[in-house]
Amino acid sequence: MIVVTDNRSANRFEAHDGTTLAGVAAYARTPELVAFVHTEVDPAFEGRGVGSALAREGIASAQADGLRVLAICPFVAAWLARHPELAHLEYRATSRVTD
């Protein structure tokens, strides 16, 4: 059974199968958002929903903390695109600066 926890001291969500680290989703946290920068799943666990569990728990954690989500990681961005009900959590820059 995969269990996802937030390892804030390492700035990453970790997915464990027992004592085995199955995958991680690294992030940077600010007072207004959580930026997911990289997701990696151990090849032995690919295709078992580990990446999705990391994305789901990471985004749920951001939502619970009242934060927006900036999906720099292509996996998390694709996961969010498949869940339009969470679009309100996506961080959008408000700057209109142009050259």
Side-chain angles (χ1 to χ4, degrees), residues 64-86:
D65 290 343
L67 303 175
R68 298 290 183 133
V69 173
L70 175 58
I72 298 168
C73 168
F75 181 87
V76 174
W79 191 91
L80 269 173
R82 289 190 308 273
H83 293 85
E85 71 278 10
L86 299 173

Side-chain angles (χ1 to χ4, degrees), residues 2-86:
I2 299 296
V3 176
V4 176
T5 57
D6 184 0
N7 183 344
R8 287 200 179 189
S9 64
N11 293 319
R12 68 187 197 177
F13 285 90
E14 299 177 343
H16 286 90
D17 183 10
T19 59
T20 303
L21 182 63
V24 298
Y27 63 80
R29 184 181 292 263
T30 76
E32 63 182 353
L33 65 89
V34 177
F36 289 93
V37 296
H38 180 68
T39 302
E40 188 169 341
V41 174
D42 183 299
F45 291 91
E46 287 179 0
R48 295 176 47 190
V50 174
S52 292
L54 286 162
R56 181 172 33 280
E57 292 300 320
I59 292 166
S61 175
Q63 184 175 25
D65 290 343
L67 303 175
R68 298 290 183 133
V69 173
L70 175 58
I72 298 168
C73 168
F75 181 87
V76 174
W79 191 91
L80 269 173
R82 289 190 308 273
H83 293 85
E85 71 278 10
L86 299 173

